[in-house]
Amino acid sequence: MATSLNLGFPRIGKRRELKRATEDYWAGRLDAEGLEAAGAALRAEHWQLQMAAGINSIPVGDFSFYDHVLDAAVLVGAVPERFAAIGEATEFPAYFAMARGIGGEHGIAPLEMTKWFDTNYHYIVPEFGPKTAFRLQAGRLLRQISEAQALSVPARPVLLGPVSLLRLGKSVEPGFDPILLLDRLLPVYAELIGQLQAAGAQCVQIDEPVFATGLGEAERGALRRSFAALRAAAPKLRLLLASYFASYGEDLPLALSLPIDVLHLDLVRAPQDLDAALAQQVAPGLRLSLGVVDGHNVWRTDLRRSLAHLRRAADVLGEERVLVAPSCSLLHVPIDLGAETALDPELRGWLAFARQKLGEVETLRRALGGGEEEALAESDRVQEGRASSPRAVHPEVRARLAALTAKDSRRQSPGDVRRGAQARRLPLPALPTTTIGSFPQTQELRSLRAQMRRGEIGAGAYEEGIRAEIERVIRLQEEIGLDLLVHGEAERNDMVEYFGEQLGGFASTGNGWVQSYGTRCVKPPIIYGDVYRPAPMTVRWSAYAQSLTEQPVKGMLTGPVTILQWSFARDDQPREQTAKQIALAIRDEVVDLEAAGIRAIQIDEPAFREGMPLRREEREDYLRWATEAFRLATSGVRDETQIHSHMCYSEFNDIVEAIAALDADVISIEAARSGMELLEAFSRFSYPNEIGPGVYDIHSPRVPGAEEMAQALRAAAGVLGSGKLWVNPDCGLKTRRFEEVLPSLRNMVEAAKAVREAL
Ligand code: GLN
Ligand code: ZN
């Protein structure tokens, strides 16, 4: 018989219980014991749920109060010196300080945070330097193992492997490669493995997702040494090596040759890995864990197709050497579709969240042994229904897409010609000032929206409230003296959800929460069908804002790549196709904004860089279609309409060429943190269009001084020249308060004036 296993379970709780408890603890409403108890209750509930689904091997150690990479760093004692005075990092005060920092005059900066591979989850970046020392701190993990044992959970500890831990961290000393710490780190892992064996574990899962990004010689050697050390430390323990999100590629032979007992393959992302593995003769002692249920997306599995993979493996290896699993941890999907009672039943029938996915894993395991005919037949019906449902298929959209020609993703004239036309229609000074779009989302705005959702106020009263806020923001900008104004985005809850709620082919969930970072959760829309725009989405707000002032007001949209990236995308057509459908819907909006008299339109693409595939060989193709989607969205307008874009959250040095290929007239880009390095990349490449490197970091409540911003501007002008330079903050202002924003913007305008005068 085959075995079923799960690689990881969401920890936030069905009703975001962990978020509530943690935030209560931070606010002093709950003590440490209370928070520990809330964590234990969630773990127990989630283990029970996995046992009820029939899963044979259940992860322990996947739970975290903030982030699993932070936990891994704490587990081996990789705690930066500056937190030492707060106490042991295994206790909440120092632990949360590492994640969030400590404010105030004698504050301590937190560790950085960054994207977990190509998911929308963010992990805490461990810090390493030549002086980093390691020390095993396994108490928390061992307690969880006994907790699980007490509940008779067939528990399997999960660890982030040593090579991934070092690779995901950052060096705090220039030129130092954390991988050099491996020799110091391995004894700690060996000790840990020994303790897990002593605690009664029979199998340990070692996650080494570094395989997904492709390895260099240093990592290959490090992985060989690591697994040799782990094997030697606990000869009787079964070792499961898991990587996910991409193919093992050319490193599959390496993975197969390591002294492990089970190798996990993500067959959703890399179905080719199975045949590659079977062709290479899997060693007799090695079993394969086959990720045949998508842990990264919300669709019901095509059981027939997944079963075919399992059969192919079982024919070669024998059933007992096949493990059935989700493709990756279920961290990235909501917990239970059962909570989505308001969702249309047909669409609901196409979906599976974490709980349902575990059911599918079990069904597949049983089906491999024969039987489950009914479940397979039902799966066939679901797949057929989805493929032909009038809800998903929009012939007009498809026809429109099929009829596109190269001309449709090209502006009428080249950038320098457009520049002249825009200068005539949009009189702006040198070094024009603007903002990225949103103004602070006040408590009043939030409660206005909540009242509307609860039906306590009508659409008319809501509209009035939003209009009043737009007028306020316009008057403030006029008074501050900004050149290109914005309407402030008061009407938006979220830059993707807002469009998802209005576009055809999208659905919203009531409780489809997934963890973004720490206690922050998002509810990504689900793209289930061909995308179209039933009606204008933003025109009335932008037109109203423009009607209030002589100054130009910038229209504000989210771009097709970002909408795709921050949604659950359909899995039955290439992402390229979906991106282009969204692009056409956005294009319609852009054209309508132009017709309504809006002279500058910004299409935000903060997720452009993060959509890039993990494996190098797939990147060129991504950049091709992502660029085309953006251009499709923006090329419907006349020369004199100025197209802006905005990007943030990433390093852009390596995609400057692609950014230029977007052919936006103006791009504003996060730069306050990465600084000159970024600008040099733009200058080296002689970026052709106009650019606004953020002159201040909006992620901090600090009000920057005018002189400091003037210096940043002069520095930018030194690298890029002043002729095509814009002056703007790093990102939107919605998370800040008016008390911080107004003086900051006043100083920014003053800085621009000072530098302008010296030109
Ligand atoms: N226009 C958006 C805003 O200002 C951009 C947000 C973003 O880049 N994440 O809020
Ligand atoms: Zn931004």
Side-chain angles (χ1 to χ4, degrees):
M1 274 297 253
T3 310
S4 61
L5 90 161
N6 183 25
L7 298 185
F9 196 82
R11 46 241 180 177
I12 203 77
K14 262 186 214 156
R15 287 166 296 278
R16 289 180 294 161
E17 292 89 338
L18 186 60
K19 172 191 176 70
R20 300 253 159 66
T22 308
E23 290 176 355
D24 281 350
Y25 169 79
W26 291 341
R29 291 187 296 265
L30 184 71
D31 60 12
E33 218 174 303
L35 180 55
E36 293 284 10
L42 282 169
R43 286 192 294 272
E45 183 185 332
H46 297 159
W47 287 329
Q48 303 287 5
L49 187 152
Q50 296 172 73
M51 286 199 287
I55 299 298
N56 302 139
S57 175
I58 292 174
V60 175
D62 56 336
F63 176 85
S64 174
F65 280 103
Y66 200 94
D67 164 53
H68 56 270
V69 181
L70 175 60
D71 292 8
V74 170
L75 178 66
V76 298
V79 177
E81 209 20 66
R82 63 184 184 280
F83 301 98
I86 309 174
E88 287 288 349
T90 48
E91 302 296 323
F92 291 140
Y95 176 79
F96 287 128
M98 287 172 75
R100 308 171 69 224
I102 288 184
E105 211 190 319
H106 302 289
I108 305 179
L111 300 183
E112 277 178 21
M113 190 168 76
T114 196
K115 286 258 158 189
W116 176 245
F117 298 88
D118 60 356
T119 72
N120 288 331
Y121 177 81
H122 303 72
Y123 73 92
I124 298 289
V125 182
E127 291 177 7
F128 299 113
K131 291 203 215 60
T132 301
F134 300 104
R135 174 167 64 104
L136 185 59
Q137 304 266 39
R140 202 169 262 286
L141 179 59
L142 292 170
R143 278 197 300 282
Q144 292 181 14
I145 293 172
S146 25
E147 247 173 68
Q149 286 164 345
L151 295 167
S152 309
V153 180
R156 185 189 71 252
V158 180
L159 304 174
L160 182 61
V163 181
S164 293
L165 176 62
L166 294 173
R167 263 295 162 254
L168 292 170
K170 73 172 240 186
S171 166
V172 290
E173 218 146 290
F176 177 75
D177 183 354
I179 212 84
L180 294 173
L181 296 169
L182 189 70
D183 284 335
R184 237 179 271 171
L185 179 57
L186 283 183
V188 176
Y189 267 85
E191 187 186 348
L192 171 61
I193 288 274
Q195 290 190 9
L196 295 177
Q197 181 175 270
Q202 277 152 27
C203 178
V204 173
Q205 174 183 333
I206 318 276
D207 284 354
E208 287 287 9
V210 281
F211 273 104
T213 50
L215 305 174
E217 266 322 305
E219 288 88 11
R220 290 191 187 107
L223 284 159
R224 274 190 211 102
R225 280 198 289 139
S226 300
F227 280 89
L230 297 174
R231 175 82 294 159
K236 290 202 296 280
L237 206 54
R238 287 198 303 279
L239 299 179
L240 183 160
L241 164 59
S243 176
Y244 26 78
F245 303 142
S247 169
Y248 285 86
E250 58 187 19
D251 293 310
L252 185 61
L254 167 66
L256 286 165
S257 73
L258 294 170
I260 52 174
D261 301 275
V262 187
L263 178 67
H264 175 79
L265 307 179
D266 178 343
L267 296 188
V268 172
R269 283 294 176 83
Q272 72 274 23
D273 278 10
L274 177 58
D275 288 327
L278 295 178
Q280 282 167 39
Q281 306 247 337
V282 180
L286 186 61
R287 303 198 292 159
L288 292 183
S289 158
L290 302 181
V292 287
V293 167
D294 194 348
H296 199 286
N297 209 335
V298 291
W299 304 104
R300 243 172 110 152
T301 305
D302 180 344
L303 295 180
R304 196 77 66 177
R305 196 168 54 187
S306 292
L307 184 59
H309 289 316
L310 298 172
R311 284 253 155 83
R312 258 200 344 278
D315 285 347
V316 177
L317 303 174
E319 250 177 59
E320 61 299 335
R321 287 170 67 200
V322 172
L323 290 85
V324 187
S327 60
C328 59
S329 165
L330 298 172
L331 180 62
H332 312 290
V333 293
I335 295 185
D336 192 0
L337 186 63
E340 299 304 322
T341 45
L343 214 57
D344 164 274
E346 184 184 10
L347 173 57
R348 233 181 87 141
W350 300 348
L351 300 173
F353 293 177
R355 181 177 198 163
Q356 289 71 35
K357 282 173 186 289
L358 292 174
E360 294 180 327
V361 166
E362 247 315 280
T363 303
L364 283 164
R365 185 189 68 82
R366 288 194 303 266
L368 185 58
E372 293 294 328
E373 269 318 314
E374 214 159 292
L376 290 166
E378 204 212 312
S379 167
D380 293 343
R381 277 195 299 277
V382 168
Q383 298 306 320
E384 279 155 26
R386 200 181 144 197
S388 60
S389 167
R391 178 185 305 278
V393 181
H394 236 260
E396 278 156 61
V397 175
R398 298 195 174 188
R400 197 174 163 199
L401 209 62
L404 289 176
T405 64
K407 217 171 86 246
D408 294 306
S409 39
R410 222 181 296 131
R411 297 285 299 271
Q412 284 165 4
S413 312
D416 42 353
V417 176
R418 302 198 303 264
R419 229 171 150 227
Q422 289 161 20
R424 284 187 291 279
R425 185 144 175 266
L426 202 66
L428 292 166
L431 302 173
T433 54
T434 190
T435 60
I436 306 304
S438 58
F439 267 72
Q441 283 271 336
T442 58
Q443 195 43 50
E444 292 82 71
L445 275 176
R446 270 191 275 265
S447 65
L448 188 72
R449 223 190 317 282
Q451 281 173 323
M452 205 222 353
R453 222 177 293 124
R454 291 195 296 262
E456 290 162 19
I457 58 169
Y462 177 72
E463 186 103 6
E464 273 312 298
I466 297 293
R467 280 175 169 244
E469 185 65 17
I470 290 176
E471 169 147 29
R472 183 161 89 98
V473 164
I474 291 286
R475 297 296 167 243
L476 283 169
Q477 294 173 88
E478 286 179 331
E479 185 241 313
I480 292 169
L482 286 152
D483 300 310
L484 179 55
L485 311 192
V486 296
H487 78 289
E489 301 182 24
E491 77 287 4
R492 301 187 194 172
N493 35 10
D494 173 274
M495 66 186 293
V496 169
E497 205 177 358
Y498 179 76
F499 293 96
E501 282 167 358
Q502 299 187 69
L503 287 169
F506 278 71
S508 316
T509 62
N511 278 293
W513 297 104
V514 286
Q515 194 175 11
S516 171
Y517 63 86
T519 61
R520 180 159 163 79
C521 301
V522 292
K523 228 165 16 112
I526 298 171
I527 309 176
Y528 64 84
D530 292 336
V531 177
Y532 60 97
R533 188 193 67 146
M537 303 180 284
T538 65
V539 177
R540 71 180 193 284
W541 306 119
S542 287
Y544 174 67
Q546 185 62 83
S547 76
L548 296 170
T549 178
E550 292 296 309
Q551 296 279 105
V553 176
K554 190 160 58 162
M556 196 58 61
L557 304 170
T558 304
V561 181
T562 298
I563 292 181
L564 175 69
Q565 193 63 25
W566 291 351
S567 302
F568 285 117
R570 51 196 296 190
D571 61 351
D572 58 349
Q573 70 180 22
R575 289 171 79 77
E576 169 172 0
Q577 196 98 345
T578 309
K580 287 184 180 163
Q581 291 182 353
I582 304 171
L584 287 176
I586 299 294
R587 179 186 179 103
D588 293 344
E589 186 75 10
V590 171
V591 168
D592 281 353
L593 282 168
E594 178 185 63
I598 304 299
R599 289 167 279 172
I601 303 165
Q602 178 172 312
I603 293 101
D604 292 321
E605 284 290 18
F608 190 82
R609 172 69 178 76
E610 73 180 48
M612 199 125 98
L614 297 171
R615 301 212 55 111
R616 209 160 279 284
E617 60 272 19
E618 294 164 18
R619 292 187 177 170
E620 198 183 303
D621 189 51
Y622 164 77
L623 288 173
R624 175 192 56 75
W625 65 252
T627 304
E628 199 183 328
F630 180 88
R631 293 178 59 138
L632 202 50
T634 51
S635 294
V637 289
R638 296 189 299 269
D639 282 350
E640 66 260 35
T641 298
Q642 189 170 64
I643 295 292
H644 290 236
S645 187
H646 166 71
M647 292 187 182
C648 55
Y649 301 134
S650 324
E651 304 252 341
F652 298 101
N653 305 13
D654 56 342
I655 58 159
V656 174
E657 250 170 273
I659 294 175
L662 297 179
D663 201 26
D665 297 300
V666 184
I667 176 145
S668 62
I669 196 155
E670 176 178 316
R673 283 183 289 182
S674 57
M676 296 311 280
E677 207 184 308
L678 168 78
L679 300 184
E680 268 151 25
F682 276 83
S683 131
R684 233 185 351 263
F685 173 71
S686 48
Y687 182 75
N689 297 340
E690 304 189 18
I691 176 167
V695 291
Y696 84 86
D697 178 10
I698 63 94
H699 301 92
S700 148
R702 200 175 72 88
V703 174
E707 182 43 37
E708 157 186 355
M709 286 187 274
Q711 264 171 30
L713 259 179
R714 282 185 214 108
V719 183
L720 298 167
S722 56
K724 296 181 173 177
L725 206 56
W726 283 67
V727 184
N728 46 257
D730 241 355
C731 193
L733 304 168
K734 65 171 169 256
T735 56
R736 295 265 70 89
R737 296 174 311 147
F738 273 101
E739 298 90 280
E740 300 148 7
V741 161
L742 299 182
S744 300
L745 291 179
R746 283 201 181 92
N747 291 348
M748 188 184 86
V749 168
E750 197 184 315
K753 283 192 180 134
V755 178
R756 225 177 258 159
E757 268 157 30
L759 284 182

